[in-house]
């Protein structure tokens, strides 16, 4: 109970997260989850009325349980809303490259998010992921903001057949992507110029990668994996060494990295502009 009073944001996140996980495991009806959350929220408000200090613990418990049911309702509703469609080959499509594109490990496949999509002249309501194969030098010139059109294959990810198997469709849907499109560079046309904030980040990432190649000629692959999360140049022996040592997570950009950046920014700014302003700037960063 002390933790509930002293760390309200942590407790809220913990209960909300538990509801999200529970929804993925149990797939409950979202309406019932929402109803339970609403009733618990009303109960929490009633118990928190002035003059009922003895019921503070019960009010907090009801509030956090409401957060848990809210997380379950949101997740269950998102799972139900995922569009299911028929996969198709040789479809005429068009769209705009968005998000943060990247080249896969061998540099022959360009992976990006497609927005403002049409299939055979019909507009799609959701985004799709694009896997575009071709010459590495040609793929390296692509970027956010460009328009792409041509012929490709459209796939709706299949549901997992085994318990606890990775659900690629749900993974894409968490990014609001309904499925994925595969195509080759010789079957598409590109128009427009690269641009926008996402493309600026992509160019910065590429520039940092080149700087690392210049300053760390012997260990460039490892430095790029640690700093940029780019593991394309790492050989299998080095990957196996990290996995065997139990530190493979160091090669991925994770919540730990984000936390370290947030602590550094907050610590520096707190002395300059105060706690409130530093918190706002840290959240923005």
């Amino acid at each position: 109970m002390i933790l509930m009073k002293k760390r309200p944001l942590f407790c809220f996140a913990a209960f909300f997260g538990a509801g999200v996980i529970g929804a993925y495991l149990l797939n409950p009806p979202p309406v019932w989850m929402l109803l339970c959350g609403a009733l618990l929220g009303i109960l929490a408000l009633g118990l928190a009325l002035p003059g009922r200090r003895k019921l503070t613990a019960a009010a907090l418990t009801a509030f956090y349980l409401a957060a848990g049911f809210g997380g379950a309702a949101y997740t269950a509703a998102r799972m139900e809303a995922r569009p299911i469609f028929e996969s198709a080959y040789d479809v005429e499509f068009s769209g705009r490259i968005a998000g943060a594109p990247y080249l896969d490990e061998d540099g022959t496949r360009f992976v990006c998010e497609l927005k403002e999509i049409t299939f055979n002249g019909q507009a799609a309501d959701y985004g799709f992921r694009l896997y575009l194969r071709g010459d590495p030098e040609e793929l390296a010139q692509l970027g956010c903001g460009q328009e792409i059109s041509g012929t490709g294959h459209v796939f709706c990810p299949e549901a997992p057949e085994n318990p606890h198997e990775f659900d690629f469709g749900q993974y894409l849907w968490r990014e609001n992507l309904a499925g994925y499109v595969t195509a080759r560079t010789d079957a598409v046309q590109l128009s427009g110029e690269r641009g926008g904030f996402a493309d600026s980040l992509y160019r910065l990432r590429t520039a940092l990668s080149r700087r690392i190649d210049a300053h760390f000629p012997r260990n460039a692959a490892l430095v790029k994996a640690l700093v940029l999360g780019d593991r394309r140049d790492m050989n299998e022996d080095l990957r196996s060494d990290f996995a065997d040592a139990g530190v493979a997570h160091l090669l991925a950009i994770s919540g730990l990295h984000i936390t370290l950046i947030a602590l550094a920014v907050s610590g520096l700014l707190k002395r300059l502009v105060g706690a409130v302003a530093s918190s706002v700037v840290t959240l923005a960063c």
Side-chain angles (χ1 to χ4, degrees):
M1 188 52 61
I2 295 177
L3 181 64
M4 289 185 177
K5 293 181 180 179
K6 296 289 187 180
R7 297 288 185 268
L9 289 178
F10 168 80
C11 292
F12 181 89
F15 277 83
F16 189 89
V20 170
I21 295 172
Y24 276 117
L25 295 176
L26 303 175
N27 194 22
V31 174
W32 287 106
M33 295 298 99
L34 181 62
L35 179 61
C36 290
L39 292 175
L40 284 166
I42 295 172
L43 177 61
L45 289 174
L47 294 173
L49 291 175
R52 297 185 177 183
R53 298 187 60 182
K54 293 183 178 180
L55 299 178
T56 300
L60 285 174
T61 302
F63 172 75
Y64 291 128
L65 287 174
F69 278 100
Y74 169 78
T75 304
R78 284 284 298 169
M79 292 170 66
E80 280 195 359
R82 177 188 159 194
I84 303 298
F85 56 92
E86 292 290 334
S87 300
Y89 295 93
D90 297 326
V91 175
E92 295 291 331
F93 76 95
S94 66
R96 178 176 57 84
I97 296 176
Y102 63 90
L103 292 172
D104 66 3
E105 295 179 359
D106 59 7
T108 60
R109 188 174 69 166
F110 181 80
V111 184
C112 68
E113 181 180 331
L114 277 183
K115 295 288 188 180
E116 303 168 11
I117 310 166
T118 62
F119 293 114
N120 290 331
Q122 298 292 322
D125 295 329
Y126 306 101
F128 281 72
R129 178 176 286 186
L130 172 66
Y131 295 104
L132 185 64
R133 289 193 176 274
D135 180 75
E137 293 186 3
E138 187 176 354
L139 294 176
Q141 304 304 314
L142 305 180
C144 296
Q146 289 183 298
E147 302 290 334
I148 185 170
S149 61
T151 304
H153 309 320
V154 184
F155 295 97
C156 180
E158 296 181 356
E161 298 180 353
N162 299 312
H164 309 297
E165 183 182 351
F166 176 66
D167 192 336
F168 184 54
Q170 286 295 346
Y171 168 77
L172 290 177
W173 184 235
R174 285 197 291 271
E175 302 296 328
N176 207 34
L177 304 178
Y180 61 99
V181 181
T182 64
R184 295 192 59 84
T185 52
D186 56 9
V188 300
Q189 297 81 41
L190 291 162
S191 61
E193 298 293 331
R194 298 171 55 170
F197 181 69
D199 189 62
S200 298
L201 291 179
Y202 181 66
R203 290 174 183 268
L204 175 61
R205 180 185 174 90
T206 303
L208 288 173
S209 180
R210 292 171 181 164
R211 296 283 290 179
I212 290 172
D213 285 330
H215 289 282
F216 301 91
R218 297 179 59 186
N219 301 300
L222 179 58
V223 175
K224 282 192 278 189
L226 293 170
V227 176
L228 301 177
D230 184 355
R231 301 181 293 278
R232 286 178 295 163
D233 297 334
M234 290 186 65
N235 58 52
E236 289 300 323
D237 291 338
L238 186 56
R239 295 187 190 209
S240 297
D241 289 341
F242 271 84
D244 293 341
V247 291
H249 60 280
L250 295 176
L251 304 178
I253 301 299
S254 65
L256 175 62
H257 295 80
I258 304 302
T259 303
L260 290 174
I261 294 173
L263 288 173
V265 173
S266 177
L268 289 173
L269 292 177
K270 193 173 292 184
R271 299 182 180 182
L272 298 175
V273 297
V276 176
S278 68
S279 297
V280 173
V281 176
T282 300
L283 287 172
C285 290

